[in-house]
Amino acid sequence: MTSQREIHISTQGRGTYDLTGEVQSAVRESGVEVGMCNVFVRHTSASLGLCENADPAVMRDLETFMSRIAPDGDPANTHTAEGPDDMPAHIRSIITHADLNLPVRNGRCDLGTWQGVYLWEHRHAPHQRKVTVTVTG
Amino acid sequence: MTSQREIHISTQGRGTYDLTGEVQSAVRESGVEVGMCNVFVRHTSASLGLCENADPAVMRDLETFMSRIAPDGDPANTHTAEGPDDMPAHIRSIITHADLNLPVRNGRCDLGTWQGVYLWEHRHAPHQRKVTVTVTG
Amino acid sequence: MTSQREIHISTQGRGTYDLTGEVQSAVRESGVEVGMCNVFVRHTSASLGLCENADPAVMRDLETFMSRIAPDGDPANTHTAEGPDDMPAHIRSIITHADLNLPVRNGRCDLGTWQGVYLWEHRHAPHQRKVTVTVTG
């Protein structure tokens, strides 16, 4: 049994957006009790992460980390057609995740207590992002 | 057919722990001959990696690399409630993997010669870690 | 239904190799209309990435980024048996991806407009690389 749906997210620019509720809804509506849930982002300048979901300081510190290793406006970048955050967005995407694969147990993604599913928008401008959720079991 | 089991690992603090044998056992006991094996860690301060399994120097060098890009006690971090290795553990987790998805062939994970499945404990204190293995096919 | 095939890639040394066409062929030939496609590299010194597929400057800038955080000949590395690019290849592999998991919809991987599937060879010498494609649905 495979169930698939698309989630649309209107981002307000760089930052993290909690998708945990929508992903759990997709699993619940699929009727799958035991199986797998794939979350996939169809972009190369936004990505996914399983992050600590309790303290907003974690997200701020992740941004600080990324800004240090892949700073906006880095003169080393040559792919700059869309601005100083164009190439850093690709780098941030490639060292995080386009796909997350979560075990389904008892009809829900069997996340740990502190794990949330986040979309990570790496561009400063607002974007329309599409995420595909596929539940199998 | 979906088969699921949980592996419990008592870590002795930061370092890598070879799970290859336990993952292969889970596949063997599932009876799946061709399919997929998902390994999932239910934490945000420990992660998974497919590493070179022959030379212990690889693990030491990976630690050196991580210590350089995400050092303990980094004054840039504000999420420090659990100590100087709290935020670095989240960073290390997010740039490595919470899930690994391995093809199953002839009744086992079809790994390359040098690939081992490792849990990576990023905290210095010993922890109880849970990993879910889901085999489908 | 599970369908599995191996792709062999003769790399010419460090760089990216577009596998999108071969992966889409594997999905088409599997006959799966809705499901999942797993792409898995059986090595620890080559990896996979979903990259921007239009501007070659992206790949050059990714190389610049990797060279900065994991430089060849880094004196911090002790795992150097195969040369100055040995350990950097492992580091690059572990912070990118050994597996990609792509939703299948209407008989093809449902990639975004700018997403291509790339093998990333991290060694300077040419290598024979094996990638397993597993399609389920």
Side-chain angles (χ1 to χ4, degrees):
Chain A
M1 183 163 68
T2 302
S3 165
Q4 208 164 53
R5 77 150 71 167
E6 214 170 60
I7 299 175
H8 292 234
I9 305 107
S10 299
T11 75
Q12 307 305 309
R14 186 172 285 176
T16 50
Y17 298 83
D18 191 345
L19 302 183
T20 316
E22 286 190 80
V23 170
Q24 293 288 22
S25 290
V27 173
R28 195 166 50 241
E29 286 169 30
S30 76
V32 169
E33 284 294 312
V34 180
M36 289 297 309
C37 173
N38 169 273
V39 188
F40 181 74
V41 65
R42 297 176 63 209
H43 306 276
T44 60
S45 55
S47 62
L48 299 170
L50 273 171
C51 302
E52 214 258 19
N53 55 10
D55 179 5
V58 172
M59 300 308 183
R60 285 200 307 270
D61 291 352
L62 281 172
E63 173 59 31
T64 302
F65 168 76
M66 288 292 181
S67 297
R68 190 161 56 193
I69 66 167
D72 290 338
D74 188 334
N77 292 333
T78 62
H79 174 80
T80 56
E82 295 190 19
D85 61 341
D86 188 349
M87 192 61 213
H90 293 310
I91 294 172
R92 287 159 176 245
S93 296
I94 209 133
I95 64 170
T96 54
H97 309 277
D99 62 307
L100 296 177
N101 302 277
L102 315 169
V104 174
R105 188 157 127 176
N106 298 325
R108 58 198 313 279
C109 290
D110 193 32
L111 300 173
T113 311
W114 308 106
Q115 286 179 314
V117 178
Y118 288 87
L119 174 79
W120 204 339
E121 172 64 74
H122 299 303
R123 303 297 309 274
H124 286 291
H127 277 75
Q128 298 295 324
R129 300 301 193 179
K130 289 179 192 165
V131 168
T132 305
V133 181
T134 306
V135 188
T136 53
Chain B
M1 181 162 71
T2 302
S3 165
Q4 209 164 51
R5 78 150 72 166
E6 214 169 58
I7 299 174
H8 292 234
I9 304 108
S10 298
T11 74
Q12 306 305 309
R14 187 172 285 176
T16 50
Y17 299 83
D18 191 345
L19 302 183
T20 317
E22 285 189 82
V23 170
Q24 293 288 22
S25 288
V27 173
R28 195 166 49 242
E29 287 170 29
S30 76
V32 169
E33 284 293 313
V34 180
M36 290 298 308
C37 174
N38 169 273
V39 187
F40 181 73
V41 64
R42 298 177 63 209
H43 307 275
T44 60
S45 55
S47 62
L48 299 170
L50 273 171
C51 302
E52 214 258 19
N53 54 11
D55 179 6
V58 171
M59 300 308 184
R60 284 200 307 271
D61 291 352
L62 282 172
E63 174 59 32
T64 303
F65 168 77
M66 288 292 181
S67 296
R68 191 161 55 193
I69 66 167
D72 290 339
D74 188 335
N77 292 332
T78 61
H79 174 81
T80 56
E82 295 190 20
D85 61 341
D86 188 349
M87 191 61 213
H90 293 310
I91 294 173
R92 288 159 175 245
S93 296
I94 209 133
I95 65 170
T96 56
H97 308 278
D99 62 308
L100 295 177
N101 302 277
L102 315 170
V104 174
R105 189 156 128 176
N106 298 325
R108 58 199 311 281
C109 290
D110 193 33
L111 301 173
T113 310
W114 307 106
Q115 288 179 312
V117 178
Y118 289 85
L119 174 79
W120 205 338
E121 172 63 74
H122 299 304
R123 302 298 308 276
H124 285 291
H127 278 75
Q128 298 296 322
R129 300 302 193 178
K130 290 179 192 166
V131 168
T132 305
V133 180
T134 305
V135 187
T136 53
Chain C
M1 182 163 69
T2 302
S3 164
Q4 207 163 54
R5 78 150 72 167
E6 213 169 59
I7 299 175
H8 292 235
I9 304 109
S10 299
T11 75
Q12 305 306 309
R14 187 172 284 177
T16 51
Y17 298 83
D18 191 345
L19 302 184
T20 317
E22 286 190 82
V23 170
Q24 293 288 22
S25 289
V27 173
R28 195 166 50 241
E29 286 170 30
S30 76
V32 169
E33 284 294 313
V34 180
M36 289 299 307
C37 173
N38 169 272
V39 188
F40 180 74
V41 65
R42 299 176 63 206
H43 307 276
T44 60
S45 56
S47 62
L48 299 170
L50 273 170
C51 302
E52 215 259 17
N53 55 11
D55 179 5
V58 171
M59 299 310 182
R60 284 200 307 269
D61 291 353
L62 281 172
E63 173 59 31
T64 303
F65 168 76
M66 288 293 181
S67 296
R68 191 162 55 193
I69 66 167
D72 290 339
D74 188 335
N77 292 332
T78 61
H79 174 79
T80 56
E82 295 190 20
D85 60 341
D86 188 349
M87 191 60 214
H90 293 310
I91 294 172
R92 288 159 175 245
S93 296
I94 210 134
I95 65 170
T96 54
H97 309 278
D99 62 307
L100 296 177
N101 302 277
L102 315 169
V104 174
R105 190 156 126 176
N106 299 324
R108 59 197 312 279
C109 290
D110 193 33
L111 300 173
T113 311
W114 308 106
Q115 286 179 315
V117 178
Y118 289 86
L119 174 79
W120 205 339
E121 171 64 74
H122 299 304
R123 302 298 308 275
H124 285 292
H127 277 75
Q128 299 296 323
R129 300 301 192 178
K130 290 179 192 166
V131 168
T132 306
V133 180
T134 305
V135 187
T136 53

